[in-house]
């Protein structure tokens, strides 16, 4: 059976997420990946990706577009990266971002400093046999994982990959760089 | 963690930074107060400047990098990325901006060029660069020098969108015109537009530039911003258009929403209501040759 994935398309690296999920689902006939801009786009989705971008901007556009409640109540699996991880959390160090409370964790924005401190790290991720080349771009970290949130990867700065039920969140960008193992892990966890 | 497992300033990191800006509005600001207003309005980044392009035009003389004190003041004021402008070819201004912690350097024709032959070798920097371009050849020459992001030059500080439109059409049309060409013809085209053949071939395969492509130079209203998005821009820079308008706060918010809803005229109509007067603007044809900024650096 095909999988229907939406990508929240308000701001950020939306097309990279769409391309990565299309590639990861190439062997699942009947699958589709669509951009989500309005509440009605969420209907019938098995999963939703919340992309990287600026979390303050995306948060503001979620409110403006009346998407806060529908997203917070989304029942499929959520695949959140970077700014998406900030939005998916239930606690953040910045009052300018209203979190969607999908994954119990405390996140800190821009935990690495300025853009020149952005980095690629060879990362051990729980559930992957080989390390993952993770690209962090002005990335957040989780400083604490709450009840039900499993830590999948950690670096000295903090927690950078988590799973909570069908939801997964990453401080880095699995949608960049062409390695789709984390997408496959997420899709398997959906149970569709 | 082993040292070889860590990498900084790679192409992926630089171009990835630009990708995170897509669908966003980057606003010119000259102080902390304006930067905070921009962030509050939903800007994805701010450009820290001594003065906006319209005032650079008015003041005349040599336009240089902003005072580092001003750049730091703006960096400290906001959580979104801060960009800074260096003169074309002035790699030391770029080094200073990188040392101050700006997140992206704009090698900009808005400032007085420091080198009339060479642009900055951007591959030598850890910080990513954005550069202006008027057509496909110019865009790919900048990418070849290491630019992680391209923007149309337009004609900055005029509040007149006509040149941004011309440049966006030239870039997008230049890419569309590659369709259907065979290998030899692409190499021939590369020679014509004075761009590296491998980048022309990459564009032909991708059907777009290999980096994010924003629009800049004359965007003054929500409608202008949406126009550039419909023409294929990944996002917009708004310079003088916000803080030279009658109501900067409303204009900033409206442009952010117009970019988000660029293909929904009803929303653009709604956010455009009651903004008051946009910046006055200049007729491009009234500019003297030495007042035209877009011809700086080719």
């Amino acid at each position: 059976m095909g999988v229907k994935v939406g990508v929240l398309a308000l701001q950020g690296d939306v097309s990279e997420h769409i391309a990565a999920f299309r590639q990861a689902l190439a062997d699942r006939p009947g699958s589709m990946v669509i951009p989500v801009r309005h509440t009605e786009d969420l209907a019938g989705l098995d999963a939703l990706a919340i992309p990287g971008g600026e979390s303050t901007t995306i948060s503001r556009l979620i409110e403006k577009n009346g998407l806060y409640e529908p997203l917070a109540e989304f029942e499929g699996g959520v695949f959140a990266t970077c700014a998406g991880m900030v939005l998916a959390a239930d606690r953040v160090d910045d009052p300018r971002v209203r979190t969607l409370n999908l994954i119990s964790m405390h996140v800190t924005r821009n935990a690495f400093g300025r853009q020149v401190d952005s980095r690629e790290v060879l990362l051990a991720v729980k559930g992957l046999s080989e390390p993952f080349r993770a690209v962090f771009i002005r990335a957040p970290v989780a400083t604490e994982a709450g009840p039900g949130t499993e830590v999948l990867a950690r670096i000295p700065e903090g927690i950078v990959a988590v799973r909570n039920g069908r939801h997964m969140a990453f401080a880095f960008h699995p949608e960049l760089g062409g390695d789709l193992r984390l997408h496959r892990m997420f899709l398997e966890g959906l149970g569709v | 963690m082993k040292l070889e497992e860590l990498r900084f300033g790679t192409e992926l990191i630089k171009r990835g930074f630009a990708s995170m800006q897509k669908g966003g509005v980057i606003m010119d600001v000259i102080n902390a107060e304006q930067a905070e207003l921009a962030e509050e309005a939903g800007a994805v980044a701010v450009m820290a400047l001594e003065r906006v392009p319209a005032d650079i035009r008015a003041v005349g003389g040599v336009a240089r990098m902003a005072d580092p004190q001003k750049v730091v003041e703006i960096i400290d004021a906001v959580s979104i990325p801060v960009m800074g402008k260096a003169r074309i070819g002035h790699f030391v201004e770029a080094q200073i901006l990188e040392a101050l912690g700006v997140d992206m350097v704009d090698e900009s024709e808005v400032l007085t060029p420091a080198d009339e032959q060479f642009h900055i070798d951007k591959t030598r920097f850890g910080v990513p660069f954005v550069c202006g371009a008027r057509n496909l050849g110019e865009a790919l020459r900048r990418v070849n020098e290491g630019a992680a992001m391209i923007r149309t030059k337009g004609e900055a500080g005029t509040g007149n969108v006509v040149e941004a439109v011309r440049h966006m059409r030239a870039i997008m049309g230049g890419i569309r015109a590659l369709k259907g060409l065979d290998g030899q013809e692409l190499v021939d085209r590369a020679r014509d537009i004075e761009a590296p053949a491998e980048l022309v071939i990459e564009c032909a395969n991708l059907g777009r530039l290999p980096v994010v492509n924003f629009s800049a130079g004359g965007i003054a209203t929500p409608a202008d911003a949406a126009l550039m998005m419909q023409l294929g821009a990944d996002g917009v820079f708004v310079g003088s258009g916000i803080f030279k308008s009658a109501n900067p706060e409303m204009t900033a918010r409206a442009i952010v929403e117009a970019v988000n809803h660029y293909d929904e005229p009803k929303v653009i109509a709604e956010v455009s209501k009651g903004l008051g007067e946009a910046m006055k603007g200049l007729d491009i044809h009234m500019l003297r040759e030495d007042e035209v900024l877009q011809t700086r650096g080719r």
Side-chain angles (χ1 to χ4, degrees), chain A residues 28-40:
Chain A
R28 300 278 296 265
S31 294
M32 61 193 297
V33 185
I34 60 155
V36 170
R37 294 169 73 186
H38 303 283
T39 304
E40 53 269 29

Side-chain angles (χ1 to χ4, degrees), chain B residues 2-266:
Chain B
K2 279 180 275 170
L3 208 57
E4 63 267 29
E5 292 175 353
L6 265 177
R7 292 184 197 162
F8 295 91
T10 62
E11 251 348 272
L12 186 60
I13 294 171
K14 290 175 176 178
R15 292 184 182 186
F17 170 80
S19 290
M20 301 311 145
Q21 303 283 302
K22 286 195 298 181
V25 181
I26 300 168
M27 301 182 190
D28 279 2
V29 299
I30 60 162
N31 55 40
E33 189 190 346
Q34 289 188 355
E36 282 162 14
L37 186 150
E39 179 170 46
E40 194 59 40
V44 289
V46 291
M47 179 74 69
L49 293 172
E50 195 78 41
R51 40 179 85 87
V52 295
D55 289 334
I56 290 176
R57 280 185 186 283
V59 169
V62 175
R64 310 180 178 91
M65 175 188 80
D67 182 337
Q69 183 62 45
K70 177 147 277 179
V71 176
V72 169
E73 174 195 324
I74 290 166
I75 285 176
D76 289 342
V78 292
S79 68
I80 53 177
V82 176
M83 304 184 179
K85 283 189 196 292
R87 282 181 265 177
I88 290 174
H90 205 315
F91 51 86
V92 173
E93 283 189 349
Q95 289 165 4
I96 292 169
L97 291 168
E98 182 178 43
L100 291 172
V102 306
D103 298 294
M104 181 171 248
V105 175
D106 182 5
E107 186 180 17
S108 178
E109 70 283 359
V110 169
L111 305 182
T112 310
D115 190 327
E116 294 195 328
Q117 190 169 5
F118 293 104
H119 280 70
I120 296 170
D121 178 359
K122 293 164 276 285
T123 61
R124 300 169 77 97
F125 286 78
V127 70
F129 278 73
V130 57
C131 286
R134 289 170 297 167
N135 52 51
L136 183 59
E138 203 169 310
L140 294 180
R141 287 195 291 279
R142 298 295 88 78
V143 172
N144 190 51
E145 293 157 1
M149 179 174 179
I150 293 296
R151 55 168 177 77
T152 57
K153 283 180 168 171
E155 191 56 39
T158 61
N160 188 336
V161 80
V162 64
E163 295 301 298
V165 167
R166 188 190 319 281
H167 300 159
M168 188 56 73
R169 283 194 184 278
I171 291 172
M172 303 308 279
I175 295 167
R176 280 191 292 271
L178 302 176
K179 210 172 169 182
L181 300 187
D182 70 14
Q184 274 187 310
E185 288 164 337
L186 286 172
V187 172
D188 192 52
R189 178 64 52 84
R191 205 176 296 129
D192 284 345
I193 66 172
E194 299 176 69
E198 62 270 28
L199 287 178
V200 172
I201 291 164
E202 192 181 351
C203 270
N205 291 336
L206 292 171
R208 53 161 294 133
L209 286 180
V211 299
V212 166
N213 181 25
F214 268 46
S215 183
I219 295 162
T221 66
D224 289 350
L227 173 67
M228 298 318 300
M229 295 298 288
Q230 288 200 28
L231 286 172
D234 292 319
V236 299
F237 285 85
V238 185
S240 320
I242 289 171
F243 290 100
K244 287 288 170 191
S245 69
N247 190 335
E249 189 172 353
M250 275 180 76
T251 302
R253 285 169 191 260
I255 291 178
V256 169
E257 283 189 56
V259 167
N260 184 228
H261 296 279
Y262 67 89
D263 55 358
E264 298 171 76
K266 281 184 183 162

Side-chain angles (χ1 to χ4, degrees), chain A residues 16-107:
Chain A
E16 287 82 351
H17 272 274
I18 290 175
F21 267 109
R22 283 198 175 137
Q23 204 185 331
L25 286 166
D27 59 350
R28 300 278 296 265
S31 294
M32 61 193 297
V33 185
I34 60 155
V36 170
R37 294 169 73 186
H38 303 283
T39 304
E40 53 269 29
D41 301 331
L42 289 165
L45 293 182
D46 300 304
L48 177 74
I50 308 180
E54 285 306 317
S55 55
T56 49
T57 305
I58 299 174
S59 184
R60 185 178 160 72
L61 291 172
I62 285 173
E63 299 279 348
K64 274 276 165 195
N65 294 351
L67 278 163
Y68 184 85
E69 297 296 332
L71 290 174
E73 287 159 15
F74 181 67
E75 289 184 346
V78 167
F79 185 91
T81 73
C82 196
M85 180 177 184
V86 176
L87 290 159
D90 62 355
R91 282 157 290 153
V92 61
D93 64 338
D94 191 332
R96 283 170 288 212
V97 178
R98 187 176 172 206
T99 58
L100 295 165
N101 309 332
L102 296 162
I103 300 177
S104 177
M105 60 181 163
H106 184 280
V107 291

